[in-house]
Amino acid sequence: MDRGPVPSDGDVSNGAGILATTVIVTVLADVVVALRFIVRKWIVKNIGWDDWCILGAVLGITIGMALVIVQVSYGFGRHKYYLTSHQLQEFQKYSFGEWLQTFWTLGFTKISICLFLLRITISKAFIRPLQAAIVILVLSNIILTVLWIVQCNPVALAWDLTQQGTCFSVVQIDDIILAQAVISIVSDFFLAAFPILILRKVQISIRVKIALCALMGLGVVTGCICIARTVLNWQNYYTQDPAWVSVPNWYLRSWEVCVGIIAASVPTLRPGYLYLQDRLVASFSSKSGSGAPSSKSKTLVPSATSRTKASHPFKSFGTKSSSASENDFLPLQDFEIRKTTRIDVEKKSNRNSDTEAYRPEMGRTDSEARLRSAENMV
C-alpha cells in the first residue's frame, strides 16, 4: 500500500469530533421523531404513512451512527500514512455501506414530507405533482442503489484492492453521488415551495403566511447544506488520503440528514404545543381566576378534544382517515377560519318563562375577526 508522504501535522485524529457529531445528530433526530409519534399517537390519535416513512429515516440515521463508530475505530479522521492496509480496507468497506444509508435516509425523509403535504392538500393541481415526486424519489433511489452496489465486479473490489476485477472510473462513481445530490437539492426546494403555493390565495395576513411557510419550508436549510456538501464531493474519491480529507464532507452529510428529519417533523408537533398550552392556560385560570366570566370571549386555543375530533377531507396517500395534526397546523382548510364563542345566558325571573338575555346571531365571523383569529393561532 502506498502510504504517500509523511503528513506535516503528524498523527492527529478527528475521531472525537466525528463521534460527538454522529451521536448528537442521531439523538436530535430520534428525540424529534419520538415527540412526533407521541403527538400522533396520544393527541392526534392518527398515525399515517408519512410517520412510518420518517421512522424509516430515523432507523437509517441510527444505522449510520453505528457504521461511523466502526469507521472511526478503523482510522476515519486520521491520515492514511498511519493506517495499516487492513484498517484502510475496513474503513472503505463501512464507508461504502454508509453512503447507501445516506441515500435511503434522505429518500425516506423526502417521501415523508410528500406524504405529509398530501394530507393537507385538497387541490388535484397539487396532489398529482406530489404523487409524481414520490414515484421519482423511489425510482431514483433504487437506480442509484443498484449503481452504487455494482460499481465494482466483484462488489468487494470497491474496498478490497487485493481482488481482481473491474470498477467504474472515479468520475463515474462521483457522478453517482452527484446525481443523488442534484435530486436531493431539487426535491428540497420543490417541497419547501409547496406551502407557498398552497397558501398564496388564502385571505390571511402576510405575517401569518410567512410564519406558516417558514415552519413548513425548513427544507431550504437542508438544500443549502446539500449544495455545500456537493461542492466538497471531490474529498471522497479525488484524493489519496480519503480517511482524513473526506471529514468535512461527512460533517455536512450528517447534518443534512439530521436537519432533513427535523424539518420533516417540526410541523407535526404543533398539536402537542397547543395541547400543552391549553393545559397551562386552564391550570393558570383555575388557580388565579376569580369572578364571573365575560359575556363573550374568543377561544384562541381550542381544547384538545375538539381539535382531535376535527375533520377535513384531506387527500391522503394510503391513510384511512384525515389527520387532525395538519388541521391544527393549517387552521385554514377550505380557506376559512373558525372561531368558537362562549356565551353566558342570564335567566330573568320577572316573566312566566325563562328568557335569554343574550342570543347572538350564529354564523361566520367577519373578515377582520378571521384575520385576528389566524394571527393568534401562530
Side-chain angles (χ1 to χ4, degrees):
M1 179 184 70
D2 182 16
R3 297 178 180 274
V6 179
S8 60
D9 51 355
D11 188 10
V12 294
S13 174
N14 291 318
I18 295 172
L19 291 175
T21 300
T22 192
V23 171
I24 290 172
V25 297
T26 303
V27 170
L28 283 175
D30 288 351
V31 169
V32 172
V33 172
L35 292 174
R36 173 180 180 149
F37 269 84
I38 290 173
V39 171
R40 289 292 180 91
K41 176 67 176 178
W42 285 284
I43 298 178
V44 177
K45 301 184 186 302
N46 186 2
I47 296 178
W49 283 103
D50 56 327
D51 302 306
W52 297 120
C53 281
I54 206 66
L55 187 63
V58 165
L59 178 62
I61 196 173
T62 304
I63 293 174
M65 179 184 69
L67 292 172
V68 169
I69 291 174
V70 176
Q71 288 181 70
V72 172
S73 69
Y74 283 113
F76 185 29
R78 295 175 60 196
H79 287 289
K80 173 184 176 182
Y81 182 86
Y82 300 101
L83 302 180
T84 65
S85 298
H86 175 71
Q87 285 178 315
L88 184 61
Q89 175 181 312
E90 293 299 304
F91 157 72
Q92 291 176 329
K93 178 171 69 176
Y94 287 101
S95 177
F96 179 91
E98 200 236 334
W99 270 106
L100 287 176
Q101 170 272 138
T102 300
F103 290 174
W104 281 102
T105 301
L106 290 172
F108 275 122
T109 301
K110 298 175 198 315
I111 293 171
S112 175
I113 297 173
C114 289
L115 293 173
F116 172 79
L117 291 173
L118 279 172
R119 298 177 76 170
I120 66 173
T121 302
I122 60 176
S123 172
K124 289 184 178 180
F126 298 144
I127 292 173
R128 299 306 182 195
L130 288 171
Q131 292 174 335
I134 293 174
V135 174
I136 292 172
L137 287 168
V138 172
L139 291 179
S140 63
N141 270 279
I142 292 175
I143 293 172
L144 291 173
T145 298
V146 171
L147 290 175
W148 187 258
I149 292 174
V150 302
Q151 62 179 271
C152 289
N153 183 26
V155 175
L157 184 58
W159 58 84
D160 186 1
L161 300 182
T162 62
Q163 297 195 25
Q164 299 295 321
T166 58
C167 289
F168 292 167
S169 68
V170 173
V171 174
Q172 290 173 323
I173 296 174
D174 187 65
D175 285 344
I176 297 174
I177 300 176
L178 181 61
Q180 186 278 330
V182 170
I183 293 171
S184 184
I185 293 168
V186 172
S187 59
D188 282 333
F189 286 99
F190 169 77
L191 296 175
F194 242 81
I196 300 175
L197 299 176
I198 294 172
L199 298 174
R200 73 187 190 282
K201 294 183 179 180
V202 180
Q203 298 301 315
I204 57 176
S205 68
I206 296 298
R207 184 178 68 87
V208 175
K209 285 186 178 182
I210 293 175
L212 291 173
C213 291
L215 192 58
M216 297 184 67
L218 293 174
V220 172
V221 179
T222 309
C224 293
I225 296 175
C226 188
I227 292 174
R229 184 253 291 184
T230 305
V231 172
L232 299 180
N233 266 353
W234 63 269
Q235 296 178 345
N236 297 291
Y237 289 96
Y238 291 97
T239 177
Q240 297 298 317
D241 196 2
W244 172 264
V245 176
S246 65
V247 171
N249 181 275
W250 176 86
Y251 276 127
L252 291 171
R253 194 164 73 246
S254 298
W255 282 109
E256 177 189 355
V257 172
C258 176
V259 173
I261 293 174
I262 293 174
S265 299
V266 165
T268 67
L269 302 182
R270 191 171 189 274
Y273 163 75
L274 293 176
Y275 179 86
L276 293 176
Q277 185 184 48
D278 198 16
R279 291 295 180 269
L280 290 174
V281 170
S283 176
F284 179 78
S285 299
S286 63
K287 292 180 181 179
S288 61
S290 60
S294 60
S295 61
K296 185 185 290 186
S297 63
K298 188 185 297 182
T299 304
L300 298 181
V301 183
S303 65
T305 303
S306 65
R307 285 196 298 268
T308 303
K309 293 181 179 179
S311 63
H312 180 78
F314 291 116
K315 298 295 183 182
S316 59
F317 193 96
T319 56
K320 295 182 179 180
S321 60
S322 60
S323 171
S325 168
E326 290 75 28
N327 198 35
D328 289 333
F329 177 68
L330 292 173
L332 307 171
Q333 304 305 330
D334 292 332
F335 303 137
E336 63 184 36
I337 301 295
R338 295 176 175 83
K339 183 187 74 173
T340 59
T341 303
R342 186 177 63 204
I343 302 167
D344 295 327
V345 178
E346 177 185 353
K347 291 185 177 181
K348 294 184 177 181
S349 59
N350 58 351
R351 294 186 181 181
N352 293 332
S353 61
D354 294 340
T355 60
E356 293 179 358
Y358 179 74
R359 186 189 303 274
E361 181 184 358
M362 301 301 294
R364 296 181 181 176
T365 60
D366 57 21
S367 60
E368 181 179 356
R370 292 186 190 185
L371 298 182
R372 193 156 48 244
S373 176
E375 290 168 357
N376 285 323
M377 292 295 292
V378 179

